[in-house]
Amino acid sequence: MSTRDSWRNSGGSGHGGSRYGGSGGASFGGTSAWGAGGGNTIFRVLSRASEYQPNRRSIIRSGFSDNGIHEEDNLSLYSEDDVNLPPISKAEDWALMPDVKNYAERGEKDHLKSKKLGVTWKNLTVKGVGADAAFNENVLSQFNVPQNIKESRQGPPLNTILEDSHGCVKPGEMLLVLGRPGSGCTSLLKMLANRRNGYAEVNGDVHFGAMTAKEAEKYRGQIVMNTEEELFFPTLTVGQTMDFATRMNVPYHKFSDQHSDKDFQVEYRDFLLKSMGITHTSDTKIGNEFVRGVSGGERKRVSIIETLAARGSVFCWDNSTRGLDANTALQYCKAIRAMTDVVGLTSIVSLYQAGNGIYELFDKVLVLDQGKEIYYGPQKEARPFMEELGFVCGEGANVADYLTGVTVPTERRIRSGYESSFPRTADEIRADYARTDTKAAMEKEYAYPQSEEAKTNTKEFKESVSYEKDKTLPKNSPLTVSFPKQVAACVSRQYQILWGDKPTFIIKQLATLLQALIVGSLFYKASKESSGLFSKSGAMFFALLYQALMALSEVTDSFAGRPVLAKHKAFAFFHPAAFCIAQIAADIPVLLVQVTQFSLVLYFMVALKASAAAFFTFWATLFATAMCITAVMRAIGAVFSTFDGATKLSGFWFSALVIYSGYFIPKTQMHPWFVWIYWIDPLAYGFEMLMSNEFHGQIIQCENNNLIPNGPTYVNSPFKSCAGVPGAIQGATSLSGDQYLQGYSYSHSHLWRNFGILWAWWAFFVFVTIVATSHWKEMAGKSGFLVIPRENAKKNIQHLTRDEESQVKEKPASRGAATLYDSSRSSSMDEKTIDNQLISNTSVFTWKDLTYTVRTPSGDRVLLDKVQGWVKPGMLGALMGSSGAGKTTLLDVLAQRKTEGTINGSILVDGRPLSVSFQRSAGYCEQLDIHEPTATVREALDFSALLRQSRDTPREEKLKYVDTIINLLEMQDIEHTLVGRTGAGLSVEQRKRLTIGVELVAKPSILIFLDEPTSGLDGQAAFNTLRFLRKLAAVGQAVLVTIHQPSALLFKEFDTLLLLARGGKTVYFGDIGEEASTLKNYFARNGAPCPHGANPAEHMIDVVSGAASQDRDWNQIWLESPEHKGVCQEVDRIIKEAASRPPGTSDDGYEFAMPLWEQTKLVTHRMNVALYRNTDYINNKFALHVGSALFNGFTFWKIGNSVQDLQLKLFTIFNFIFVAPGVIAQLQPLFIDRRDIYEFREKKSKMYSWVAFVTGLIVSEFPYLCICAVLYFAPWYYTVGFPTDSNKSGAVFFVMLFYEFIYTGIGQFVAAYAPNAVFASLVNPAIITILVSFCGVLVPYAQIQEFWRYWIYYLNPFNYLVSSILAFTTFDVKVVCKPHEFALFDTPNNQTCREYLAPYLKGLGSRTNLINPDATSGCRVCQYRLGSDYLSTLNIGDYIVGWRDAAIVVIFAISSYAMVYAFMKLRTKATKRAE
């Protein structure tokens, strides 16, 4: 029987043929899901009888010969003995192995070439920028020029992340990279995935097959890396995400039995979902911290299969089992093993906490310590090598943890007789390794890139890649599918993102409709005569302004999706241009709806020109302008690498576009130094088009103020003239629309020219966006350096000589959390002191028949089903189950953290219902480490201790207890460094310790909950964390922990276990027993004995949810067991007994530990410090003010005193309003970040009240707002030429200062209630446009429709702001008309001007100024005498109105802050209690 047949049979008999029905029917396919894996891969792997017999290989070649005709050499069949070879793969028992084999057979049948590469590296040294470069400047220290000069001259020191690393992973091999956090594992994987961005220096050779790293760059989609971060669009479902990933990798030549791209894509997608067991999540949103979606473990699995969808040849996996339970982690490693063996992939995996089952799947192991390679060689030889050096590996210990622990004094165990000779440091172990035969054997492999095998493989790899690639793609393109297909997939994904976030889309459209109705009613039925000119142009300007305001949110959007795009670019899914085009394609229908509904409502309400041609021209103009402005804002978002930089420019550019649109300042009056902005302003072209479209061919009669003289006496008199109408001829009483346009230097002949120019600008900005997007890089290496606040520099001297990736460098006899338990510890505190200071507990916590139900679109879903159990003082309880079994849900329910759903059952402390102080008396460490990034570790701990320990404890004692916890958690070396964000700040492990510390310093008196405290930690850190919890339990604390992948060693530490199956059903609750004996007996008795030497924790998870479950209902088995009966009786007994005793903890009756005033002081102090250190935010605020003020000042430079100048004074003041949108756009994300930290952690642990939170946020802004007012006032007020008397300038400054408070309050109250920053950025335009519309500037008070005039005008803060500043600056100014501004006319019957105009000057013209009363012809009348005459038309009758309005501005400032409190109160929901 041929091997191929035996192979088929093994697939068929072992697993019932293919998973897709039929014996070996279709499996996932394509030119290979990973390059064909064609014959020689499979047969070479088949013949690997044992670990290192690479020379036994078949003589199969399949592929196409040089002339392109398919050929197949003779198969050398194996002898009968060969059939009895060991299984070809260590993952032979993986459920989908038959599918992988079947797929490989199809590739072989179609003569497809393989895509095998392998990676070889020699003398690889990587350097990064050292940690002392990471000072965090504060608002003042950034201006310390001498210090900045001194530091910039030194240049940042480099530190070595990887030192002289070497290795070779051939096709079909798996390498396990082990090391503590910070030892350089991630950096090594990045090098082997050819990602060099973000490192200061990379030396040494890395070869991919026979290619150098430079050559391999154009195959980036074949050399891929799965990083620790999970980056997705949270509103897409798992199915949509995987559809997109697989659509982007459909090969041009598919298997012969696949007829369409869809066949391949669906088959491949289904295979991937099945391979990680997440088919059931296909229709669930992926979600993130703030959008509900799949569980953490499921999200991790999506990130794994998305990486596999790249169908690469070399895969690097960085800690990809983080957050997976032990069984899922093992299945994942088996999947990678199976694909590596059968398809000939090269797999390089770094893992923390790798169990022995996982460890044994690998061929080779590489151990790093502080960037030094202390072992590299066969997996089988690693443990013997370390044991020969004198290190002992305990019974049942994880070999992987043992290998990384040999350099840590507190963790290694030395064999007797070796105490004086064992190697103590990484350098000594490396020296020992250099003398071994293993190293010599490994060095022989480094010539692999020069070997014939590598050259042949690389040649076939290149041919296979180009064979898969769409023929329309350029030769050097790393992509697979054609450009039109990329665009199609990106477009459908854009629509899915829009649809996934329906509320935002619907709000946008409703806001547009509402806005159109409001603006339409504001300019309702504007007059066709001269008095309607201002209203009509205002309505048209507004139509453009609204489209521009809506486009501002593009900047926020651009940054929301950027990390995902950078990831997909690294996977070579699509060209950035495809994404940009998709965005435009998604824009078109959205903007069509937006512009159409806006136009239909506004156009006919304002009664613009009633002809179809005019309406459709209006509509087309709005659409073109909206597209163009959207492209402008998107280009700004794409060009900048930081959100702050982009908001700075977009806010500034927005105000420039608005001022130079031609509405505020006619083009004829623009100063030469800024007139160029007019020519590059899309709004200006749009505005000219709308104006010429409306007024061309109209006749406009002068009326009211614009006709002098006017009144009953002069009805039929020919002796009158137009005044104050641009383009009107002096002495005439009417003008044509074209004359009016000419007055603004507009022309109807420009209409379609401008339309073309708008689309040309659009094309230009789209081009800029595409170019900028193409240069986006993935976040430069997570090079994890500590960040030190400048003011703490003196306290942190020790860090400045240390590095980046080795934050865990060994100190004499201590490392990280390691030494907590080391008996020989020389710390300042001995064990007894710590034991005495730790708090003990006597309360018993029970829960009985707990059920938790949530509403879903498909009906009610039960997440917890009649769960019961208890935690007693001194007990360490484990809560386990597969991913998605409801572990976190149970903790949330027990800790009273749920605000949705229904909870039934009882949760009791000492047999009594939970008290009001329960949430702060119980510590809860959440899975996500959410902290204030600008606080130092010490500040975070102090903050928690001061707010959560009892109000009776003196402050000194609270802070002393923080010292205890810092010592206990060994955080002395990082206590004065900032928490920071991932990459610049604490490492994952340090964050986890801080999360635990923040709960411990609160002295929880009832119990401590911890959700996944060990995920993301290496084996030692996990063990230390657990031993530390064990210690707390020993002192009398009650501790309940959810845990994913406990090693046998960790599992031993627990007393009891609550095991859940999917749906929150109990499978076991009770003691674990010595060496897990009680637990093993239970499962053995029910037909699932634990194999000898297996980790009982992994075995149980496997029994409950994995391969060993035998499809039995373990929940039912539990319910029928005597153990269950015993638990029910015991719960009742505990409750009864506890209820009869006095309670173990006394409730002080307070919801919060500290009084509100103390809370407010502490929170405000923290917010002050946060802003003081947030230089980006503050600098941005300052820059926006100074920039806007100078721009406004020089645009309206030295305004004169003519009639037209009065209008300019109004507009320069009006323009001051527009400093708000830019600052608000930047303030809201910050507010929402802070609010999320509060709501997700601090509110739930009853740390402080929402009142203190809001007060802190409001007060911390005050000092900067005062500075901002000065920074706007000084460059603007004097530049525009306002009066310099101190009584006037001081009054204006006073009003400006309070305006800063008003708009900050508005921004904050929107943010207080908005679900996210993007939503807030959509609400802002609606609020600002309504306030701007009704403040009496765009439409004078007298012309506002009565419906609005008597309420919204008076409720509008902008109205009082503008009128008070106008009153102070313009009231007593003498108006001097320019020659063309006079009304010029003759008098009848030789009357003097005074006689002819007498009735007029006493009536309607009482405020006009007759210049030549005694002339008998050529009477010259100026519209106004004083500024007060002009102000009377704006409803400002007296100078005192200025002061009245200033007072009202103050009231608005107070009320806008009151709104922040009101909205925060509305948002604050009570947590659910058990019913």
Side-chain angles (χ1 to χ4, degrees), residues 214-438:
K214 191 82 191 138
E215 288 172 76
E217 279 174 6
K218 62 175 184 230
Y219 295 103
R220 66 166 186 261
Q222 300 298 321
I223 303 166
V224 289
M225 174 166 174
N226 175 262
T227 56
E228 249 185 302
E229 294 96 8
E230 288 135 32
L231 306 167
F232 295 106
F233 289 109
T235 56
L236 290 183
T237 65
V238 172
Q240 289 167 342
T241 303
M242 289 314 301
D243 263 337
F244 180 77
T246 45
R247 276 177 79 175
M248 288 307 186
N249 276 291
V250 177
Y252 186 68
H253 294 99
K254 288 163 279 296
F255 285 152
S256 52
D257 57 5
Q258 285 174 328
H259 305 298
S260 69
D261 286 0
K262 189 80 181 155
D263 290 353
F264 171 87
Q265 185 250 318
V266 170
E267 197 178 305
Y268 187 28
R269 177 200 66 200
D270 293 348
F271 166 78
L272 288 174
L273 288 169
K274 204 179 285 185
S275 72
M276 286 293 137
I278 49 173
T279 314
H280 63 280
T281 64
S282 189
D283 295 327
T284 312
K285 281 186 183 177
I286 287 192
N288 60 11
E289 297 93 321
F290 311 119
V291 176
R292 279 183 54 176
V294 296
S295 73
E298 287 163 343
R299 194 175 309 132
K300 187 79 220 177
R301 285 181 270 172
V302 178
S303 103
I304 289 169
I305 58 175
E306 189 188 43
T307 307
L308 287 172
R311 295 182 30 257
S313 172
V314 175
F315 283 92
C316 294
W317 303 94
D318 187 15
N319 196 11
S320 297
T321 58
R322 175 180 172 188
L324 299 184
D325 60 73
N327 177 57
T328 311
L330 181 63
Q331 293 307 318
Y332 151 72
C333 290
K334 281 186 176 172
I336 302 297
R337 178 78 262 179
M339 294 169 193
T340 302
D341 286 343
V342 178
V343 190
L345 304 180
T346 304
S347 299
I348 300 152
V349 185
S350 78
L351 295 178
Y352 296 152
Q353 301 182 46
N356 288 339
I358 292 175
Y359 176 78
E360 280 156 15
L361 290 171
F362 287 86
D363 302 310
K364 295 178 180 172
V365 174
L366 187 155
V367 185
L368 283 173
D369 191 281
Q370 297 173 17
K372 301 182 175 85
E373 196 170 294
I374 58 174
Y375 174 81
Y376 162 69
Q379 170 254 109
K380 296 250 188 308
E381 295 172 24
R383 178 173 166 177
F385 164 69
M386 294 298 184
E387 288 181 327
E388 277 171 28
L389 297 179
F391 300 109
V392 178
C393 182
E395 189 56 44
N398 275 356
V399 179
D401 290 347
Y402 159 70
L403 293 176
T404 55
V406 293
T407 55
V408 183
T410 54
E411 282 155 25
R412 55 188 176 204
R413 285 165 47 207
I414 309 304
R415 200 179 328 152
S416 62
Y418 281 81
E419 290 85 347
S420 56
S421 61
F422 77 91
R424 282 161 171 74
T425 63
D427 286 320
E428 289 175 23
I429 299 176
R430 187 155 69 156
D432 285 327
Y433 166 70
R435 295 191 282 275
T436 59
D437 297 342
T438 308

Side-chain angles (χ1 to χ4, degrees), residues 439-480:
K439 180 162 197 244
M442 290 294 107
E443 280 178 336
K444 290 180 183 152
E445 294 190 345
Y446 302 160
Y448 177 73
Q450 286 75 48
S451 69
E452 279 312 307
E453 183 188 354
K455 287 175 182 166
T456 310
N457 280 345
T458 307
K459 180 166 174 277
E460 289 194 357
F461 165 83
K462 289 178 175 176
E463 287 167 3
S464 176
V465 170
S466 89
Y467 186 64
E468 286 188 6
K469 201 158 75 175
D470 194 282
K471 296 296 166 252
T472 58
L473 290 170
K475 192 159 176 275
N476 283 339
S477 169
L479 310 174
T480 308

Side-chain angles (χ1 to χ4, degrees), residues 26 39 45 139 222 379 402 442 487 502 531 590 602 604 697 721 1125 1169 1215 1308 1341 1346 1375 1411 1415:
V45 177
V139 171
Q222 300 298 321
Q379 170 254 109
Y402 159 70
M442 290 294 107
V487 174
K502 286 192 283 286
S531 58
V590 175
L602 182 79
F604 296 107
S721 168
K1125 198 173 170 192
V1169 171
N1215 203 21
Q1308 287 181 334
Y1341 173 74
E1346 287 176 5
V1375 179
I1411 301 297

Side-chain angles (χ1 to χ4, degrees), residues 5-26:
D5 292 332
S6 76
W7 201 31
R8 271 216 178 96
N9 293 347
S10 78
S13 60
H15 298 277
S18 158
R19 299 274 286 200
Y20 292 99
S23 61

Side-chain angles (χ1 to χ4, degrees), residues 134 165 229 311 344 525 528 632 754 936 1200 1204 1232-1233 1268 1293 1295 1315 1354 1366 1431:
S165 174
E229 294 96 8
R311 295 182 30 257
K525 289 201 171 159
K528 289 192 166 37
V632 172
N754 287 1
T936 65
Q1204 183 76 53
I1232 290 170
D1233 278 353
C1268 283
F1293 176 73
V1295 177
Y1354 289 106
L1366 259 179
L1431 296 185

